[in-house]
Amino acid sequence: AQSVTQLGSHVSVSEGALVLLRCNYSSSVPPYLFWYVQYPNQGLQLLLKYTSAATLVKGINGFEAEFKKSETSFHLTKPSAHMSDAAEYFCAVSVGNRDDKIIFGKGTRLHILP
Amino acid sequence: GAVVSQHPSRVICKSGTSVKIECRSLDFQATTMFWYRQFPKKSLMLMATSNEGSKATYEQGVEKDKFLINHASLTLSTLTVTSAHPEDSSFYICSAARGPEQYFGPGTRLTVT
């Protein structure tokens, strides 16, 4: 069985500060890992994905995440927060097979302080 | 590429009626689509996996007779909420699989009065 745990349901950072959203995964097989962002009343947008290639993954909007197998982590970072980054962020895992279902974490609401 | 649409974006219906939500992959074919339900300030709960040409696979606890799923073609899956009740009010999101990735629709806000 696979699962993801997102630490912190709410995270607040000041504009211009480092963003760090934590995600730990559990998987019996090599996982595919994803970060999605959701703005209010909208669907999900893929920020980035890890698919067993490079462990440091760069995504859209300046976000990146590093896959650390020894720590079973896939934390999301951005060097400098922008007001437009305020949203809900979901970490997710799948086994990577074609058409396989994705399991989502509970989400972290990111607040940006002016 | 990889655009998924949902229709309608919002729907209000009376208790006891049925509501159909469409999910379309606009620029790719998807043999598998997924239906999720999202409660306010909560994560996405997978309801079912929709497979083109075969019956949907429902997650534990999801009533298959209440949430009817039809994957009529490689670009269209529909979710019908039958005999809707206020507790069915929620945000419903679909996704279409292309390889190991899923592409999500914009969601449908269902309100049952």
Side-chain angles (χ1 to χ4, degrees):
Chain A
Q2 297 176 298
S3 66
V4 289
T5 302
Q6 292 184 242
L7 300 177
S9 57
H10 292 266
V11 170
S12 296
V13 301
S14 298
E15 189 174 19
L18 171 72
V19 175
L20 171 61
L21 304 183
R22 299 177 188 275
C23 173
N24 288 90
Y25 70 91
S26 175
S27 178
S28 57
V29 298
Y32 279 27
L33 294 160
F34 309 85
W35 274 100
Y36 288 89
V37 61
Q38 184 181 34
Y39 297 97
N41 295 312
Q42 295 186 25
L44 274 68
Q45 181 181 13
L46 179 67
L47 280 177
L48 50 80
K49 60 183 179 182
Y50 166 76
T51 57
S52 74
T55 57
L56 181 62
V57 182
K58 294 187 183 297
I60 62 172
N61 302 339
F63 285 94
E64 63 182 37
E66 186 172 8
F67 173 72
K68 292 187 176 180
K69 184 178 179 180
S70 60
E71 299 177 9
T72 61
S73 68
F74 190 58
H75 302 331
L76 181 71
T77 61
K78 181 174 180 177
S80 178
H82 192 273
M83 294 300 290
S84 61
D85 295 327
E88 188 85 20
Y89 291 80
F90 293 97
C91 182
V93 62
S94 81
V95 296
N97 293 330
R98 180 180 176 83
D99 299 345
D100 192 53
K101 60 185 179 184
I102 290 177
I103 305 300
F104 285 87
K106 294 185 181 299
T108 298
R109 171 75 61 176
L110 177 63
H111 304 272
I112 309 298
L113 307 174
Chain B
V3 179
V4 176
S5 70
Q6 280 184 243
H7 178 80
S9 57
R10 287 179 175 270
V11 58
I12 301 172
C13 70
K14 292 186 177 181
S15 187
T17 62
S18 295
V19 174
K20 180 184 286 188
I21 302 170
E22 292 186 349
C23 177
R24 293 181 184 272
S25 55
L26 299 184
D27 51 2
F28 67 101
Q29 294 183 331
T31 55
T32 304
M33 292 184 173
F34 300 88
W35 287 95
Y36 296 85
R37 181 174 180 176
Q38 187 177 32
F39 293 97
K41 300 182 180 181
K42 297 290 185 182
S43 187
L44 282 76
M45 180 191 78
L46 179 65
M47 299 175 65
T49 302
S50 170
N51 302 295
E52 190 269 337
S54 65
K55 292 184 178 180
T57 303
Y58 290 82
E59 295 297 305
Q60 190 173 11
V62 177
E63 298 177 63
K64 59 181 67 176
D65 294 331
K66 181 166 188 60
F67 298 100
L68 300 179
I69 292 172
N70 182 27
H71 199 144
S73 73
L74 289 172
T75 59
L76 173 64
S77 176
T78 60
L79 168 68
T80 301
V81 183
T82 62
S83 187
H85 289 283
E87 57 265 30
D88 299 324
S89 298
S90 194
F91 194 54
Y92 292 87
I93 302 176
C94 73
S95 69
R98 189 171 75 173
E101 282 191 44
Q102 290 185 28
Y103 297 89
F104 287 81
T108 296
R109 173 74 60 192
L110 170 62
T111 303
V112 185
T113 61

